[in-house]
Amino acid sequence: MGIEAGVRHSFTIRYWRTICCDRTSVRSDICMMKGDIRTNSSSFSIFLYTSGNVSGDIITRDDDELQREKIKPYTRKWEPSTMATIDELTLISKNSNGSTVENRPKCDVNHDVPAVFFSTGGFTGNVYHEFNDGLIPLYITSQKFNKKVVFVILEYHDWWVMKYGDVVSRLSDYDPIDFNGDHRTHCFSEAIIGLRIHDELAINSTLMKNNETIEDFHDVLDKAYMPRIQDLVQEELIAALEPEKPKLVIISRNGSRAITNQNLLAKMAEKIGFNVEILWPDKTTELAKIYRSLNSSDVMIGVHGAAMTHFLFMRPGSVFIQVVPLGTTWAAETYYGGPAKKLGLRYIGYEILPQESSLYNEYERKDVVLTDPDSVNDRGWEFTKKIYLDRQKVKLNLTRFRKHLVRSHLYIMAKRNQDQSHARAEVTSG
């Protein structure tokens, strides 16, 4: 039974002054502490000091120590190679007898709100993982505190805090703490170590206190970036409130999985009737600029990869066309196609033909790499990565791809006309 379901009714008996861990999920472990909590970053430890006798299934290890747990607060528990790179915390519960009181660290900083401990190690630096493994689980875990919570970050990165500071500030009223770099003793009365994760870029409303969904997370992004977007609009002195033509954004890639005839694709889209913008996002790109570009777009095109996470920035009702290279069909649908539909986007998965892949010129026509990618993927992740992710580029069959752009343009224009009709009707009735 999960920690929230199994412990809630006996909260004051077992959770107070104890360490309670839920290790039932394949995705992440999560531990809770409540009482006199003190950090010790030099030993990667968090101490919980208790007073009196504590009953329950606690194992006494010495005269003072009541309980010891270890946890790596990152949400890819099922990947040993990834978790091997994550810093491990030791959680220790001690009895507050005379000797312990004298030896326990003095509080340098006292906090009157709970703490959530998590790591920005692992795949941080990849936008998909930054949202899937970090920001969305952070929202899921901390939302119940209504911003009255302090985030304590292991493997803290200044660039991450700068990049996602606007989002983090919508989840917490307090500056995050660098656990590794801040050697002061921080004291709390309640702490959660680790993050909850539900699914790929998704939130299960039935597991949320107030039934929040991915659309509620999208609202957080809206509130986080809208002030900066308004500044950008003013800085650029936008003449019109919206472009006359529908806006199409191409998320561009360098190297593997790049669209080699991207310029011809852009010209074709312009002839169909789109205003075309090409984005080249990287790790240092200001998120508010990307958010503004995609939140004002009608159509986004991109090749399967981490950058497709940016569909979260699009408005429900917009069109998301994901170019699906050979060997990536399952991942494209699972990680991006399915979640995009849940957000309310009109999703098109464009699965390329072998002739549209650069692999077509490297392998015999009957090679399984071209004819049966699933059998290649079955050999293991290293084959998928080496062949389909790292060595494949795409040259679109523009005649074949054009019909999707034409249909998207017709859909957007029909939707605009419908919205304008509704607006005129409201004005008339008012």
Side-chain angles (χ1 to χ4, degrees), residues 281-300:
D282 59 32
K283 192 169 82 171
T284 61
T285 305
E286 185 177 358
L287 261 291
K289 292 182 177 179
I290 298 177
Y291 191 90
R292 180 199 169 198
S293 180
L294 290 174
N295 196 247
S296 63
S297 71
D298 298 290
V299 180
M300 181 180 89

Side-chain angles (χ1 to χ4, degrees), residues 176-246:
I177 296 171
D178 176 2
F179 182 84
N180 302 58
D182 187 340
H183 298 293
R184 295 175 298 174
T185 298
H186 290 266
C187 296
F188 303 91
S189 60
E190 181 178 356
I192 297 176
I193 301 89
L195 301 178
R196 294 195 178 282
I197 179 171
H198 293 166
D199 207 341
E200 308 301 332
L201 298 176
I203 295 172
N204 185 339
S205 62
T206 64
L207 300 178
M208 298 295 288
K209 181 179 179 181
N210 296 310
N211 302 116
E212 292 93 347
T213 68
I214 191 66
E215 291 187 10
D216 294 297
F217 177 75
H218 184 272
D219 288 342
V220 170
L221 298 179
D222 249 346
K223 293 173 182 176
Y225 291 120
M226 202 52 68
R228 175 59 177 148
I229 290 171
Q230 291 171 349
D231 290 343
L232 291 171
V233 171
Q234 187 174 5
E235 289 170 10
E236 296 175 10
L237 301 175
I238 300 300
L241 293 177
E242 64 174 327
E244 194 171 5
K245 297 178 180 179

Side-chain angles (χ1 to χ4, degrees), residues 356-400:
E356 295 175 90
S357 171
S358 60
L359 300 177
Y360 192 73
N361 297 320
E362 299 182 29
Y363 292 88
E364 296 293 332
R365 301 297 180 259
K366 294 183 180 181
D367 194 292
V368 291
V369 168
L370 301 177
T371 62
D372 190 11
D374 287 343
S375 67
V376 178
N377 290 332
D378 288 342
R379 298 178 190 172
W381 165 250
E382 63 274 16
F383 288 93
T384 300
K385 185 176 188 299
K386 179 180 178 181
I387 297 173
Y388 294 122
L389 298 183
D390 293 346
R391 286 173 44 203
Q392 183 174 196
K393 294 185 179 181
V394 174
K395 183 177 182 180
L396 292 173
N397 179 331
L398 296 180
T399 301
R400 181 170 176 252

